């Protein structure tokens, strides 16, 4: 699939390579062309992105592209692929928003611009909770977004009573829809600013809430800065404007025996100190697969 042709002439600059999918192209050529366009735009994983987009457009598993490279890209798939590659390469839209799905633990979650795309490192929060929570514990996932943590926990620990909360009604709508689609309707959802006015008694609070410092804004990838909701990312000058009140509020609830909070690189010391000051003991930081201190856990 070469760049050019009538479609390409309708675009300028970086749009040229993006638009070169001709009707009747084979998956192999479509892949080469998409990789070229996505790589030229400076995206970090062009082959993976291209495979996911083509598989999505064709409605096949990614592996099929390798086992059947002569698969035809024709009909409506041609326009859909051009559009998907343009969104990825020109607008730098994350693949998960284009395909509308993201894998998290054992679940396939629906995601869109209303929610942060769940990250692999957040799986650590679920892993720790699955291992640590006593049978029947009542758990609150604060800042649930797409419902990733609450739903993965409900999926893996059916004995738990789980509530997900968020300040964003838009996010809660996505979480509710995910719960219904995945048959995990027993998770409760609450609109709340952290723990303010949250009814009920909880044994454990988990949270991946915003923790990006305002000063780090300029260093974020365009995928994040342009497309993910700012309210899911930023938390004041040091990135702790949400975690700080959350830890204090959790500490003030006597029933909370376990608090686990996802953090950014370099925040472990400050968050551990906040937890100790709020009355939690045995405070420790757990590292993610990249070796970064990612979750601070306290208990009492
Ligand atoms: C980093 S995103 C994480 C979403 C989800 N937990 C995940 O891991 O994919 C943070 C979420 O916290 C929510 N949030 C921000 N401030 C909040 C607050 N004060 N109270 C409750 N939720 C809040 C945002 O709307 C967003 O959905």
């Amino acid at each position: 699939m070469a760049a050019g042709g009538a479609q390409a002439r309708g675009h300028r600059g970086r749009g040229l390579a993006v638009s070169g999918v001709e009707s009747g192209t084979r998956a192999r050529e479509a892949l080469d062309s998409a990789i070229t366009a996505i790589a030229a735009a400076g995206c970090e994983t062009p082959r993976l992105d291209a495979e996911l987009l083509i598989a999505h457009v064709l409605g096949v598993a990614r592996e099929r592209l390798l086992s059947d490279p002569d698969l035809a890209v024709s009909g409506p798939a041609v326009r859909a692929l051009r559009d998907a590659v343009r969104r990825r390469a020109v607008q730098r839209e994350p693949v998960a928003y284009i395909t509308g799905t993201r894998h998290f633990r054992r679940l396939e979650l629906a995601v869109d611009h209303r929610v942060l795309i769940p990250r692999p490192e957040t799986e650590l929060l679920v892993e720790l909770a699955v291992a640590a929570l006593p049978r029947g514990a009542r758990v609150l996932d604060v800042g649930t977004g797409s419902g990733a943590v609450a739903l993965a926990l409900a999926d893996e620990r059916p004995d738990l009573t789980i509530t997900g909360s968020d300040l964003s009604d838009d996010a809660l709508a996505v979480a509710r829809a995910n719960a219904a689609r995945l048959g995990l309707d027993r998770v409760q959802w609450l609109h709340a600013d952290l723990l303010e006015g949250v009814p009920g008694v909880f044994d454990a609070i988990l949270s991946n809430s915003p923790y990006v410092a305002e000063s780090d804004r300029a260093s974020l990838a365009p995928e994040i800065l342009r497309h993910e909701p700012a309210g899911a990312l930023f938390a004041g000058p040091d990135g702790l404007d949400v975690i700080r009140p959350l830890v204090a509020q959790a500490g003030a609830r006597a029933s909370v025996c376990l608090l686990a909070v996802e953090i950014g690189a370099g925040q472990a010391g400050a968050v551990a100190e906040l937890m100790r000051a709020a009355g939690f003991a045995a405070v420790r930081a757990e590292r993610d697969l990249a070796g970064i201190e990612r979750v601070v856990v306290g208990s009492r």
Side-chain angles (χ1 to χ4, degrees):
M1 180 176 68
Q7 179 68 23
R9 281 194 290 277
H11 297 263
R12 301 228 169 254
R14 289 190 303 188
L16 280 172
V18 171
S19 310
V21 183
E22 305 294 342
S23 193
T25 297
R26 304 283 151 194
R28 181 194 293 114
E29 289 114 34
L31 192 58
D32 287 346
S33 181
I35 291 170
T36 301
I38 294 169
C43 301
E44 279 181 9
T45 53
R47 171 167 289 276
L48 175 64
D49 295 0
E51 287 179 0
L52 290 169
L53 292 178
I54 296 174
H56 169 68
V57 159
L58 295 179
V60 300
R62 208 174 119 216
E63 298 70 36
R64 177 86 186 275
L65 302 179
L66 301 177
S67 65
D68 191 0
D70 286 331
L71 200 61
V73 182
S74 56
V78 175
R79 181 183 287 271
L81 183 55
R82 283 183 191 140
D83 186 53
V85 176
R86 180 187 51 73
R87 285 169 69 179
R88 181 73 193 104
V90 180
Q91 295 169 11
R92 295 294 294 269
E93 196 170 341
V95 169
Y97 286 150
I98 302 172
T99 62
T101 60
R102 178 64 168 226
H103 198 76
F104 185 80
R105 296 287 285 188
R106 305 191 309 201
L107 305 178
E108 199 67 35
L109 295 165
V111 293
D112 62 32
H113 288 85
R114 293 174 290 178
V115 292
L116 185 105
I117 298 164
R119 304 296 205 266
E121 54 267 31
T122 303
E123 296 196 4
L124 176 62
L125 195 55
V126 178
E127 192 180 315
L128 294 170
V130 165
L133 291 171
R135 204 172 162 69
R138 296 155 295 185
V139 186
L140 177 64
D141 168 26
V142 176
T144 195
S146 62
V149 172
L151 292 170
L153 208 50
D155 174 49
E156 295 176 45
R157 286 285 306 270
D159 59 293
L160 302 174
T161 300
I162 301 169
T163 304
S165 70
D166 208 289
L167 187 57
S168 158
D169 278 320
D170 277 350
L172 286 169
V174 175
R176 281 196 180 92
N178 271 319
R181 201 175 36 79
L182 294 166
L184 295 167
D185 312 82
R186 59 191 187 76
V187 176
Q188 304 281 309
W189 306 103
L190 272 178
H191 179 259
D193 182 351
L194 300 179
L195 303 186
E196 275 177 32
V198 170
V201 175
F202 298 98
D203 305 301
I205 290 179
L206 313 174
S207 186
N208 173 25
S209 44
Y211 56 70
V212 179
E214 280 294 343
S215 54
D216 288 338
R217 184 183 279 270
S219 66
L220 293 182
E223 281 81 355
I224 302 172
L225 203 50
R226 287 188 209 156
H227 296 283
E228 298 203 87
L233 296 170
F234 300 107
D238 62 355
L240 298 179
D241 277 8
V242 177
I243 290 177
R244 204 178 281 112
L246 172 64
V247 171
Q249 291 172 20
R253 291 199 172 211
S255 65
V256 177
C257 299
L258 183 94
L259 175 63
V261 177
E262 180 171 323
I263 54 161
Q267 294 176 334
V271 173
E273 203 41 57
L274 290 171
M275 281 204 193
R276 286 188 201 99
F280 292 93
V283 177
R284 66 184 201 280
E286 294 282 344
R287 293 179 189 272
D288 64 19
L289 293 174
I292 296 168
E293 288 178 320
R294 185 58 67 193
V295 177
V296 180
V297 190
S299 54
R300 62 183 176 186

